[in-house]
């Protein structure tokens, strides 16, 4: 089974161990990443296979909805 390729909104971990949110995918060639929180500048990768999806966008959105319903 192959790993899911990161999509916009997914929480990922890059090859250096940094966690990030995918904010954009440009021309299906460059993935734009930003930290999950804080003010660290965004960075890019042209190797999407190096990104491990930790939480898909749909799961993150569901968790946020559940937390706001409490």
């Amino acid at each position: 089974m192959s790993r899911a390729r990161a999509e916009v909104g997914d929480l990922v971990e890059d090859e250096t161990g940094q966690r990030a949110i995918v904010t954009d995918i440009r021309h299906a060639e460059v993935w734009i990443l930003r930290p999950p929180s804080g003010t660290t500048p965004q960075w890019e990768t042209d190797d999407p296979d190096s990104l491990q999806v930790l939480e898909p966008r749909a799961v993150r959105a569901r968790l946020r909805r559940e937390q706001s319903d409490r």
Side-chain angles (χ1 to χ4, degrees), residues 5-66:
R5 182 164 274 192
E7 298 180 4
V8 172
D10 290 351
L11 174 66
V12 299
E13 186 173 273
D14 72 8
E15 68 276 357
T16 68
Q18 285 187 283
R19 288 183 175 216
I21 304 294
V22 178
T23 61
D24 196 9
I25 301 171
R26 296 185 182 153
H27 307 289
E29 294 178 3
V30 178
W31 274 243
I32 311 300
L33 308 168
R34 68 158 176 84
S37 61
T39 59
T40 304
Q42 67 184 23
W43 66 99
E44 303 176 354
T45 184
D46 60 359
D47 183 12
D49 293 330
S50 70
L51 301 174
Q52 178 182 0
V53 177
L54 301 175
E55 280 186 354
R57 177 182 182 180
V59 171
R60 293 179 57 244
R62 187 184 78 234
L63 292 172
R64 279 194 307 273
R65 282 192 306 272
E66 289 172 359

